[in-house]
Amino acid sequence: MGKHLKKYETSESDLLVFSQKSGRLYGFDQFGASLFSLIEKDIHLKEILLDDFKENEAAQSLIYTICDLMKGEELPEPETNEAFTIDYPLLEQNKINLENPFYYRLNQFDFVIDTKQKWIIEKVLPALEHLKFFPHNTSNFSLIITFEEDDEGWCILFNEKCLHKGVKIIELLPILMDYIRIGYYHSIDYLISLHAGALNYQGKSLILPAISGSGKSTLSTYLMEQGFSFLTDEVALIDTNEYLQPIPMSITLKEGSWKVLETYGVSFKNLSVHRRFDNQRVSFLPPKNVASGNLTVKGAFLIFPQYRQGAKTEITPLSTLETLARITLSGYEVKDSFDWHTVKRWVQLIEGFHKYAITYSDMEDVRLHIERLITA
């Protein structure tokens, strides 16, 4: 019993348990770790422990969870739409016939957008302008993006396969940006991809995981404007060599962020307005101070930001267990099936990170706090 389980004790004496059956990671604090150890030695202690903690619903729930885990009878994982993948065919090089191509490079990932549509050229392509380049060999591409109109709207095609039908003009750019980013993931080997902003300051990597609405992109933009080297506002992609990959797509900023950033001198006057999947109005700000090269994540600063109106800047150190719980809540950009080797490497990296939660309302004040943390 429990042979499908792999255990890892953190430096804070918390217990992490990985189920090879479900590919899920469970975390137990020192109390939970003690219960796990008792039940692992003799599962028949379940009834005795339930009786001992009959007045403690949380402890009873924990006992049931441990027993189910031991027997391989885990509850199914809740469905989530936060992480997704795409599938498109390989490009047949002899079929390439471009009429009006625009060439782009995102790190080592080259792609082409082929369109004559004036509104796409004027309203969509400016968000990719900083990625434009002209290749020496115009046939060496793995992805060609085109668009077709149908009765319901527009279709986005990757290598002639329609990925999304019935797209309205105002919705096209946010969907396209997501698909390009996911296409980039498929082009490299990566360890993990987090829903997070990422920057670099004086040679130190800064990762900002956060749920939507926490102010992650707003803070990433402000730090970039103040001299931090920008990597991404949407996903922190850590490759198998444990480097943080720059993914400098234009920064997605919701309407609520525009006024905040305009008070700090960031202009949105020349940016077109688009509508996201959740019906929010967004603009895409081309980045500056873009980081380049191999940026190690060893010793990185992993900071969970939370904007609260009127709040004083408050910094809270986090344990590895608390950090993993917050990362799970923040979400993963791409849904993967993790194995024990990958999970163990990821946990060991986190143990070496400087881990904090920051609550703030004043952008300049939180910047000073973050700089002091990094340079201390």
Side-chain angles (χ1 to χ4, degrees):
M1 187 173 293
K3 291 182 179 179
H4 62 292
L5 303 178
K6 296 288 186 180
K7 297 185 295 181
Y8 184 92
E9 185 175 324
T10 72
S11 55
E12 298 99 346
S13 298
D14 294 322
L15 178 67
L16 299 174
V17 178
F18 178 74
S19 168
Q20 296 184 110
K21 182 175 180 180
S22 66
R24 290 161 65 185
L25 184 67
Y26 296 79
F28 302 96
D29 60 14
Q30 292 181 35
F31 172 70
S34 299
L35 286 177
F36 189 97
S37 179
L38 288 170
I39 295 169
E40 185 180 33
K41 290 174 183 176
D42 185 0
I43 199 168
H44 297 100
L45 289 173
K46 171 184 175 182
E47 299 304 325
I48 297 173
L49 290 169
L50 286 172
D51 186 62
D52 288 344
F53 293 100
K54 59 186 175 183
E55 303 298 328
N56 189 330
E57 290 185 12
Q60 289 212 335
S61 176
L62 186 57
I63 293 164
Y64 281 116
T65 296
I66 293 171
C67 290
D68 289 344
L69 187 57
M70 290 285 183
K71 294 183 289 185
E73 298 175 356
E74 305 161 64
L75 291 173
E77 192 169 7
E79 290 292 326
T80 176
N81 294 320
E82 289 184 358
F84 67 100
T85 187
I86 60 174
D87 179 38
Y88 58 88
L90 294 174
L91 190 65
E92 296 182 36
Q93 295 294 328
N94 60 350
K95 289 183 65 177
I96 296 176
N97 184 21
L98 303 174
E99 295 184 13
N100 196 39
F102 296 84
Y103 300 99
Y104 301 96
R105 173 166 289 167
L106 184 60
N107 283 355
Q108 302 85 19
F109 181 58
D110 295 348
F111 61 96
V112 184
I113 293 180
D114 191 22
T115 182
K116 289 184 177 180
Q117 291 292 330
K118 185 178 179 181
W119 65 268
I120 291 180
I121 294 171
E122 292 181 351
K123 300 294 185 182
V124 173
L125 299 191
L128 299 167
E129 183 70 22
H130 62 290
L131 301 176
K132 279 182 70 174
F133 83 113
F134 191 82
H136 297 297
N137 183 354
T138 58
S139 64
N140 187 26
F141 287 88
S142 60
L143 172 61
I144 295 178
I145 303 170
T146 53
F147 309 92
E148 287 182 359
E149 190 174 15
D150 57 28
D151 294 337
E152 298 177 353
W154 286 85
C155 176
I156 301 173
L157 296 96
F158 275 31
N159 294 348
E160 300 183 336
K161 178 181 178 179
C162 182
L163 299 181
H164 206 117
K165 293 182 178 180
V167 182
K168 296 177 182 177
I169 290 175
I170 198 170
E171 300 170 336
L172 190 139
L173 181 56
I175 294 171
L176 177 65
M177 296 287 271
D178 282 339
Y179 283 157
I180 291 172
R181 199 167 57 246
I182 302 301
Y184 171 71
Y185 301 155
H186 290 308
S187 72
I188 64 172
D189 292 326
Y190 61 90
L191 180 66
I192 196 163
S193 65
L194 303 177
H195 181 226
L199 304 105
N200 193 268
Y201 185 73
Q202 294 189 3
K204 302 288 182 66
S205 295
L206 170 63
I207 304 172
L208 303 170
I211 60 173
S212 182
S214 64
K216 163 182 61 65
S217 295
T218 310
L219 179 58
S220 295
T221 302
Y222 180 72
L223 293 175
M224 177 189 71
E225 292 286 329
Q226 297 301 313
F228 282 62
S229 298
F230 177 80
L231 286 92
T232 178
D233 80 304
E234 193 61 35
V235 53
L237 185 67
I238 300 171
D239 68 21
T240 52
N241 294 316
E242 299 178 1
Y243 289 110
L244 195 55
Q245 289 280 337
I247 312 177
M249 305 284 283
S250 284
I251 306 171
T252 309
L253 292 163
K254 290 175 278 191
E255 190 172 10
S257 297
W258 304 345
K259 292 181 180 178
V260 174
L261 288 167
E262 282 174 344
T263 64
Y264 292 97
V266 182
S267 176
F268 291 84
K269 289 181 180 178
N270 297 321
L271 299 179
S272 56
V273 177
H274 305 266
R275 195 171 297 280
R276 220 170 59 154
F277 67 91
D278 55 6
N279 215 33
Q280 293 200 56
R281 283 155 46 93
V282 295
S283 286
F284 291 86
L285 181 71
K288 62 181 183 180
N289 304 328
V290 175
S292 61
N294 290 330
L295 302 169
T296 181
V297 293
K298 289 183 178 177
F301 286 77
L302 192 67
I303 298 177
F304 297 84
Q306 179 61 62
Y307 175 86
R308 285 199 190 127
Q309 189 172 4
K312 292 183 178 179
T313 304
E314 184 176 332
I315 302 174
T316 307
L318 299 174
S319 68
T320 299
L321 186 61
E322 290 169 327
T323 300
L324 284 165
R326 284 175 177 260
I327 285 173
T328 302
L329 289 173
S330 299
Y332 299 92
E333 184 66 11
V334 181
K335 190 172 181 61
D336 286 307
S337 297
F338 297 118
D339 58 21
W340 171 235
H341 175 70
T342 301
V343 169
K344 190 174 180 181
R345 282 185 68 190
W346 176 227
V347 171
Q348 288 172 338
L349 272 178
I350 290 178
E351 284 194 295
F353 288 168
H354 305 277
K355 305 175 285 290
Y356 301 93
I358 289 186
T359 305
Y360 70 97
S361 62
D362 185 290
M363 290 284 187
E364 180 60 13
D365 191 44
V366 75
R367 176 186 71 83
L368 292 172
H369 278 78
I370 290 174
E371 286 186 6
R372 282 195 287 268
L373 279 177
I374 291 176
T375 58

